Amino acid sequence: PSALGDIVQSLPVLRALRWRFPRAHIAWVVHAAYADLLAGHPDLDERIVLDRHGKAAAGNTSRRVWLELLGRLRAGRFDLACDLQGLLRSGVMAAATGARRRIGLASAREGSRFFYTDLVPVPDDEMSAVDRYWLLAKALGVAGAKEFRLAIDAESRRWAERQTPALAGLQVAIHPGAMWETKRWPAEHFAEIARRLAGQRGARLVLVGAASDAAAAAAIEAALPGHCVNLAGRTTLKQLAAVLERVDLLMSNDSGPMHLAAALGTPVAAIFTCTSPRRAGPYGPGHLVFPSRLWCAASYLKRCARLECMRELTPDRVWPALCQHIDRLPTRRARPA
């Protein structure tokens, strides 16, 4: 159902399910905020949209919204339910389908495993989310390679081209946001890196993110007047994907856009303060991560009164490795037709 990064990291399983069951009707329960990303996906027949906030605002109670969703799942007469999120609410959704087989991962939490008929062992708690989700595909007999497949429409690509014309030189996207405060590298750190990218590397900069990231993006833009295209809070998810597939590099916190860029094959340079790069890092080759070196690194705390990692992980520590990473980037990446 959520969040963006988890949905993106689940995409190879969707592709695997279509390969394994080519004639099946495949549905995905997804939160309304992320449903756009799955619209028109060639491996998906149906999106079952969970819109708790929208329907509640229209006069429905949260309880009624949930009952409607569970009733819809029951009416679907599904034969197989796959729960990758592994939380209480997703376990309840799996049970609501009434499917004879309900498969989940042994790493599931909040008692959700009690709703499954099949539990897939997870041999390593520190494995990446993509590899952990893929265990479910393997349990269903899939032996092929992982494939991230996204359905980006032509209009979204044309919009991205208008915002970020394909001029010569290095083009870098910066995403300064994250859901947790402990993941958000300070905007002034991103601004300092952006100044060096523009001044020393001649980079053209694109700021991306949700509406909640607009303040951080505005602070970066103010530090580099005339050097940034600020798209924070102005894109749909498909437009965001279209922008990310055009740039040469994304610099980001541990976030959904980071995973989206990696799925598109765009090189990523990512800041990791309170989460583990091994578990949550950008998937695939060609990426660079900057982990905190403090004793509390990868603590997974959502709030922290100290935030020492934000002072320890400085722009001066990031910059030399980032330059080396940029020097190793492939020559101008092919643009989508």
Side-chain angles (χ1 to χ4, degrees), residues 175-187 189-190 213 252-255 270-277 280 290-313:
H175 176 238
M179 292 185 68
W180 304 353
E181 67 171 358
T182 50
K183 291 183 182 182
R184 292 194 289 266
W185 209 42
H189 286 0
F190 277 111
D213 307 322
S252 175
N253 296 309
D254 173 13
S255 64
I271 301 294
F272 276 79
T273 48
C274 73
T275 51
S276 165
F290 299 97
S292 169
R293 296 171 180 165
L294 292 178
W295 62 273
C296 55
S299 64
Y300 280 84
L301 292 175
K302 294 184 180 181
R303 293 181 177 83
C304 176
R306 300 165 65 110
L307 291 176
E308 294 176 26
C309 52
M310 305 302 176
R311 298 186 294 274
E312 180 268 335
L313 187 51

Side-chain angles (χ1 to χ4, degrees), residues 1-2 29-31 48-53 55-56 60-74 85 87-97 110:
S2 60
V29 181
V30 59
H31 194 282
I48 300 175
V49 178
L50 173 60
D51 189 7
R52 288 179 295 167
H53 304 299
K55 287 190 176 182
N60 291 300
T61 63
S62 295
R63 181 174 180 272
R64 181 169 180 177
V65 170
W66 274 104
L67 289 175
E68 287 179 357
L69 172 67
L70 299 180
R72 168 65 192 88
L73 291 172
R74 187 70 175 183
Q85 189 172 47
L87 297 177
L88 176 60
R89 64 174 182 174
S90 58
V92 170
M93 292 177 196
T97 65
E110 301 179 351

Side-chain angles (χ1 to χ4, degrees), residues 2 9 12 14 18 26 31 60 78 94 110 124 133 146 155 164 188 206 217-218 222 237 251 257 293 297 323:
S2 60
Q9 292 174 102
L14 173 60
R18 177 54 66 201
I26 301 178
H31 194 282
N60 291 300
F78 294 103
E110 301 179 351
D124 182 1
Y133 298 156
K146 304 179 190 74
E155 179 52 39
T164 58
E188 57 266 29
V206 184
L237 286 178
M251 184 162 187
R293 296 171 180 165
C323 287

Side-chain angles (χ1 to χ4, degrees), residues 191 195 207 215-226 228 230:
R195 274 193 291 265
L207 306 178
I220 298 169
E221 183 181 23
L224 288 96
C228 297
N230 188 352

Side-chain angles (χ1 to χ4, degrees), residues 179-265:
M179 292 185 68
W180 304 353
E181 67 171 358
T182 50
K183 291 183 182 182
R184 292 194 289 266
W185 209 42
E188 57 266 29
H189 286 0
F190 277 111
E192 178 58 30
I193 292 295
R195 274 193 291 265
R196 298 183 192 189
L197 285 169
Q200 300 181 34
R201 308 297 299 217
R204 291 172 296 112
L205 304 169
V206 184
L207 306 178
V208 298
S212 57
D213 307 322
I220 298 169
E221 183 181 23
L224 288 96
H227 290 279
C228 297
V229 175
N230 188 352
L231 301 179
R234 294 177 49 205
T235 64
T236 66
L237 286 178
K238 289 200 174 184
Q239 289 170 341
L240 172 62
V243 169
L244 292 178
E245 72 177 355
R246 290 180 57 79
V247 300
D248 299 293
L249 176 73
L250 169 70
M251 184 162 187
S252 175
N253 296 309
D254 173 13
S255 64
M258 177 197 75
H259 292 296
L260 183 57
L264 291 162

